[in-house]
């Protein structure tokens, strides 16, 4: 501290930070803390008093088969939608990177368009595409003289329909992030590799992918955290069905809270979701810190 | 572009693989939109429920007028505009104030205060929806514009992003401004926006997009048609018609919901992509 703070400046700072501070306190920090308290009660929104029940909610969640099924679904959705988006987005970025002229620019715009669509509206369109009777799927299968699978009513298939929409919406975003990562790699490295006789595939495998490692970490974790919170597309397309085969944590919380008014139980579920997200963030921090140390 | 890139691209198998992959992916992006448009131009329900479905000729453009009568899309659209623009406006004001304080003012506990802002990034609304719902009830904000806008008036990402770009503005600049008698408020709102323009515009677009596309919060916090926004309205339209979905009208409505963001994106493309790039570099 080489000089004392000026009083006027400090007052200005406090005034400038006040709106954000108040809003975060009321709509972020307080609810988060209050959520822990509610998770220890059997509140149902209506009964005015919240009876303390200890960890009863957590015990009944962790011993219910349904919870583990839903947690499994959430991870299934998260892992597959993240991985597939990243692979397709990466391939798009690499394919377009070395092309010249207007075409790559037009294609980049095209591939990014799905990312600005409204999820709930797209979910309705997806239902119509996968409609087995008269939707696109029904029409295509009929054209080949076959019966379309009932996509959204078949437990093994419904989740893949949901994942397909998630991938469709996010691959353009991945492409864009990788494109900016690729732009940072110097041409000289490829030049040297080419002189040494490396094929294009070898260059991609041994130069591009390793050099994009930090971009991949960033994408993997941010998309993972996002996907863990999926709600819109599942809620609209399947409502969690059939037989909870597409039900995910956030939707389950919503159903418990606003469908069955079990506020305490739903709070406990959101505490669990929060802890999972927190763990992901901590891992992300550790990984990025680890990387900085290497340098 | 160097010589090597040109040479590499000439390997015929690679070119074929790449082209096939790009053509397939491009088709998969276009196909859903095409299917939506074809359906939306069918003259009637019975024309939709046919195998094979015929191309709609003459196209029934009147569907795009009828949806405004079938469902209160005028109200939904108005609400979407009111909510997303007011929330984005407040977010920008609050973020500029906070970002300015973090960038140019000296005050105690600055680092800690900033950590508290960053921590908010890990608190999506979903993880505390139950207490939030009861706060909204206590404030009497259920089913109101205030309830749809105010909780989003401060955005940690906005503060973070605008602070990052203000970081590039030399400190001398604000000090010079003060010597000329400009107050911090005028510096923050009249001078700074010019200096951080690209990222500010990128942020505004992103903020509008987030609110515009939001489904969860509106679903939980509204109960009447008067306050619903388009993303919830379109789902309601599907649900009330259960069993006898009028797909041609529903698809016309879907396109209407998607259109504003698509137009905004195509017009302001460079800003859309900008924000993601800076996001990646930060990450």
């Amino acid at each position: 501290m080489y000089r004392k703070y000026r009083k006027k400046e400090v007052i200005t700072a406090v005034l400038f930070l006040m709106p954000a501070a108040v809003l975060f306190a009321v709509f972020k920090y307080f609810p988060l803390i209050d959520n822990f308290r509610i998770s220890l009660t059997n509140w149902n929104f209506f009964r005015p008093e919240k009876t303390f029940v200890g960890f009863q909610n957590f015990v009944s969640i962790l011993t219910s088969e349904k919870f583990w099924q839903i947690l499994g679904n959430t991870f299934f959705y998260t892992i597959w939608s993240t991985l597939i988006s990243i692979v397709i987005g990466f391939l798009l970025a690499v394919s377009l990177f070395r092309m010249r002229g207007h075409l790559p620019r037009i294609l980049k715009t095209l591939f990014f368009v799905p990312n600005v669509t409204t999820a709930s509206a797209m979910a309705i369109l997806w239902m119509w595409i996968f409609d087995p009777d008269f939707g696109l799927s029904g029409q295509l299968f009929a054209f080949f003289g076959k019966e379309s699978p009932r996509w959204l009513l078949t437990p093994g298939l419904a989740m893949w329909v949901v994942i397909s929409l998630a991938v469709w919406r996010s691959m353009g975003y991945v492409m864009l992030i990788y494109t900016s990562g690729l732009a940072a790699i110097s041409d000289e490295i490829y030049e040297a590799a080419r002189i040494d006789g490396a094929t294009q595939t070898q260059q991609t495998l041994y130069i591009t992918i390793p050099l994009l490692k930090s971009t991949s970490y960033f994408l993997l974790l941010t998309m993972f955290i996002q996907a863990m919170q999926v709600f819109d597309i599942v809620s609209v397309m399947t409502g969690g069905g059939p037989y909870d085969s597409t039900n995910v944590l956030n939707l389950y919380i919503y159903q418990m809270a606003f469908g069955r008014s079990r506020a305490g139980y739903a709070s406990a579920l959101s505490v669990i979701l929060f802890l999972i997200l927190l763990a992901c963030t901590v891992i992300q921090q550790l990984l990025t810190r680890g990387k900085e140390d290497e340098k | 572009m160097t010589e090597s890139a040109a040479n590499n691209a000439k390997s015929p198998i690679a070119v074929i693989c790449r082209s096939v992959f790009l053509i397939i992916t491009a088709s998969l992006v276009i196909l859903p939109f095409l299917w939506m448009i074809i359906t939306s131009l069918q003259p009637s329900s019975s024309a939709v429920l046919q195998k094979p479905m015929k191309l709609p000729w003459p196209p029934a453009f009147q569907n795009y007028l009828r949806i405004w009568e079938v469902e209160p899309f005028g109200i939904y659209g108005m609400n979407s505009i009111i909510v997303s623009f007011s929330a984005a406006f407040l977010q920008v004001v609050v973020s500029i104030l906070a970002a300015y304080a973090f960038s140019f003012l000296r005050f105690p506990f600055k680092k800690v205060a900033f950590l508290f802002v960053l921590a908010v990034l890990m608190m999506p609304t979903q993880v505390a929806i139950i207490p939030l719902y009861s706060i909204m009830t206590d404030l009497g904000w259920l089913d109101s514009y205030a309830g749809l806008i105010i909780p989003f008036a401060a955005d940690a990402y906005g503060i973070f992003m605008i602070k990052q770009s203000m970081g590039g503005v030399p400190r001398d600049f604000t000090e010079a401004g003060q010597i000329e008698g400009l107050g911090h408020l005028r510096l923050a709102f009249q001078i700074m926006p010019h200096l951080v323009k690209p990222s500010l515009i990128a942020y505004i677009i992103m903020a509008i997009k987030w609110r515009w596309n939001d489904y969860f919060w509106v679903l939980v916090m509204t109960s009447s048609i008067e306050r619903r926004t388009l993303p919830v309205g379109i789902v309601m339209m599907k649900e009330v018609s259960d069993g006898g979905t009028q797909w041609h009208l529903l698809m016309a409505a879907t396109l209407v919901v998607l259109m504003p963001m698509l137009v905004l994106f195509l017009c302001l493309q460079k800003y859309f992509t900008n924000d993601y790039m800076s996001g990646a570099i930060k990450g």
Side-chain angles (χ1 to χ4, degrees):
Chain A
M1 260 346 97
Y2 59 95
R3 78 183 155 158
K4 279 204 73 176
Y5 298 105
R6 271 174 298 186
K7 201 175 160 199
K8 212 180 137 203
E9 201 173 335
V10 174
I11 292 171
T12 313
V14 169
L15 289 175
F16 274 27
L17 290 172
M18 194 61 83
V22 171
L23 288 162
F24 284 152
V26 177
F27 298 112
K28 291 289 180 184
Y29 282 97
F30 172 74
L32 191 72
I33 295 161
D34 201 34
N35 195 44
F36 285 100
R37 190 178 60 89
I38 297 173
S39 73
L40 302 175
T41 70
N42 65 356
W43 194 36
N44 63 6
F45 285 121
F46 304 112
R47 203 185 311 148
E49 77 278 17
K50 302 174 179 131
T51 318
F52 181 79
V53 295
F55 287 96
Q56 195 188 299
N57 287 326
F58 290 94
V59 171
S60 63
I61 287 170
L62 295 175
T63 53
S64 91
E65 223 171 277
K66 191 170 170 176
F67 167 76
W68 291 105
Q69 186 197 351
I70 287 167
L71 189 69
N73 291 342
T74 313
F75 275 106
F76 184 87
Y77 165 86
T78 302
I79 290 168
W80 284 112
S81 66
T82 305
L83 282 182
I84 298 172
S85 303
I86 287 184
V87 169
I88 295 180
F90 173 76
L91 291 175
L92 286 176
V94 171
S95 311
L96 291 173
F97 190 63
R98 293 180 182 186
M99 280 169 71
R100 296 183 211 188
H102 288 298
L103 190 64
R105 227 193 33 189
I106 296 168
L107 285 175
K108 260 180 221 163
T109 307
L110 177 70
F111 294 139
F112 193 72
V113 160
N115 199 255
V116 300
T117 57
T118 307
S120 69
M122 284 313 301
I124 288 175
L125 172 54
W126 235 243
M127 289 170 84
W128 177 227
I129 287 172
F130 284 93
D131 185 283
D133 298 318
F134 300 100
L136 187 57
S137 169
Q139 304 281 358
L140 286 177
F141 274 89
F143 182 79
F144 293 107
K146 293 223 170 67
E147 186 84 8
S148 163
R150 312 202 80 76
W151 299 99
L152 291 169
L153 297 174
T154 313
L157 295 175
M159 188 57 109
W160 286 107
V161 176
V162 175
I163 291 172
S164 72
L165 176 53
V167 170
W168 188 82
R169 287 187 74 238
S170 60
M171 62 190 186
Y173 166 75
V174 176
M175 170 198 73
L176 209 65
I177 300 282
Y178 272 127
T179 304
S180 56
L182 283 171
I185 301 176
S186 116
D187 273 341
E188 286 162 32
I189 302 176
Y190 291 108
E191 181 76 7
R194 197 184 58 85
I195 291 166
D196 289 346
T199 64
Q200 201 171 13
T201 321
Q202 283 172 329
Q203 289 177 30
T204 307
L205 284 177
Y206 300 115
I207 301 173
T208 316
I209 293 178
L211 285 178
L212 287 175
K213 216 160 101 187
S214 63
T215 312
S216 303
Y217 272 135
F218 166 80
L219 276 171
L220 209 59
L221 281 145
T222 50
M223 291 189 63
F224 194 91
I225 291 170
Q226 279 249 308
M228 283 297 295
Q229 304 166 49
V230 62
F231 177 83
D232 305 6
I233 59 176
V234 182
S235 160
V236 174
M237 272 199 273
T238 66
Y243 312 110
D244 282 317
S245 66
T246 59
N247 207 344
V248 287
L249 262 183
N250 240 332
L251 182 60
Y252 191 44
I253 294 170
Y254 175 82
Q255 291 168 344
M256 277 296 160
F258 303 103
R260 300 175 56 184
S261 290
R262 296 182 64 182
Y265 194 88
S267 278
L269 284 169
S270 37
V271 167
I272 294 172
L273 176 61
F274 176 71
L275 293 178
I276 295 172
L277 296 180
L278 190 68
C280 293
T281 315
V282 170
I283 292 170
Q284 180 182 24
Q285 289 299 318
L286 290 177
L287 284 177
T288 40
R289 194 152 307 159
K291 283 212 77 63
E292 271 158 26
D293 289 345
E294 281 169 27
K295 282 173 195 164
Chain B
M1 195 59 68
T2 59
E3 190 90 3
S4 70
N7 285 345
N8 278 324
K10 275 177 193 154
S11 148
I13 302 165
V15 170
I16 292 169
C17 285
R18 187 177 75 180
S19 309
V20 169
F21 173 66
L22 288 176
I23 290 168
I24 291 175
T25 320
S27 323
L28 288 176
V29 170
I30 295 170
L31 197 64
F33 290 113
L34 213 58
W35 180 240
M36 171 170 65
I37 292 166
I38 290 175
T39 310
S40 76
L41 295 173
Q42 298 286 349
S44 67
S45 250
S46 50
V48 174
L49 304 182
Q50 256 182 33
K51 266 191 219 175
M53 187 194 275
K54 295 187 188 71
L55 280 179
W57 198 261
F61 288 111
Q62 67 269 22
N63 290 343
Y64 285 89
L65 297 175
R66 272 197 59 203
I67 55 166
W68 303 87
E69 300 156 17
V70 175
E71 190 74 2
F73 274 101
I75 299 176
Y76 298 155
M78 225 29 231
N79 288 340
S80 277
I81 291 171
I82 292 171
V83 168
S84 51
F85 281 78
S86 340
F89 174 77
L90 290 174
Q91 283 175 2
V92 169
V93 172
V94 172
S95 300
I96 287 181
L97 280 174
Y100 183 90
F102 282 123
S103 313
F104 301 113
L105 299 177
R106 284 165 36 82
F107 57 94
F109 305 114
K110 193 177 189 168
K111 282 218 172 99
V112 181
F114 193 62
L115 277 181
F116 270 90
V117 172
L118 287 184
V120 170
L121 288 172
M122 295 188 315
M123 304 174 194
T125 39
Q126 284 100 325
V127 300
I129 194 66
I130 287 113
L132 278 167
Y133 185 80
S134 71
I135 292 171
M136 291 295 128
T137 316
D138 294 342
L139 288 169
W141 282 3
L142 283 183
D143 213 27
S144 75
Y145 286 128
L148 295 179
I149 296 165
I150 309 291
F152 299 95
D155 174 41
Y157 192 78
I159 297 174
F160 179 69
M161 191 171 151
I162 296 174
K163 181 193 172 268
Q164 291 290 99
S165 45
M166 280 185 181
V169 177
R171 243 192 108 92
D172 302 350
F173 198 91
T174 52
E175 275 161 17
Q178 276 178 284
I179 291 163
E180 281 175 37
L182 292 175
H184 288 299
L185 259 185
R186 288 191 57 189
L187 276 171
F189 286 105
Q190 288 186 347
I191 313 293
M192 280 305 148
H194 296 289
L195 299 177
V196 298
K197 204 164 155 196
S199 55
L200 195 61
I201 295 177
Y203 175 67
I204 292 171
I205 295 169
M206 195 168 58
I208 293 172
K209 185 184 106 180
W210 279 344
R211 287 295 94 216
W212 185 278
N213 286 343
D214 178 59
Y215 175 73
F216 184 71
W217 184 265
V218 182
L219 181 71
V220 172
M221 297 302 164
T222 62
S223 49
S224 73
I225 286 167
E226 276 67 39
R227 291 294 176 272
R228 264 178 212 141
T229 57
L230 286 170
V232 175
I234 184 87
V235 175
M236 295 295 157
M237 181 175 173
K238 164 87 178 73
E239 277 168 6
V240 291
S241 66
D242 226 15
T245 307
Q246 307 243 6
W247 283 108
H248 59 305
L249 294 181
L250 194 58
M251 284 300 112
T254 305
L255 189 62
V256 167
V257 174
L258 297 179
M259 207 39 113
M261 281 305 118
L262 293 181
V263 171
L264 195 70
F265 166 62
L266 292 174
C267 295
L268 299 169
Q269 235 195 96
K270 96 178 167 192
Y271 294 106
F272 261 87
T273 47
N274 248 357
D275 99 67
Y276 288 116
M277 303 218 183
S278 54
I281 291 155
K282 267 176 243 152

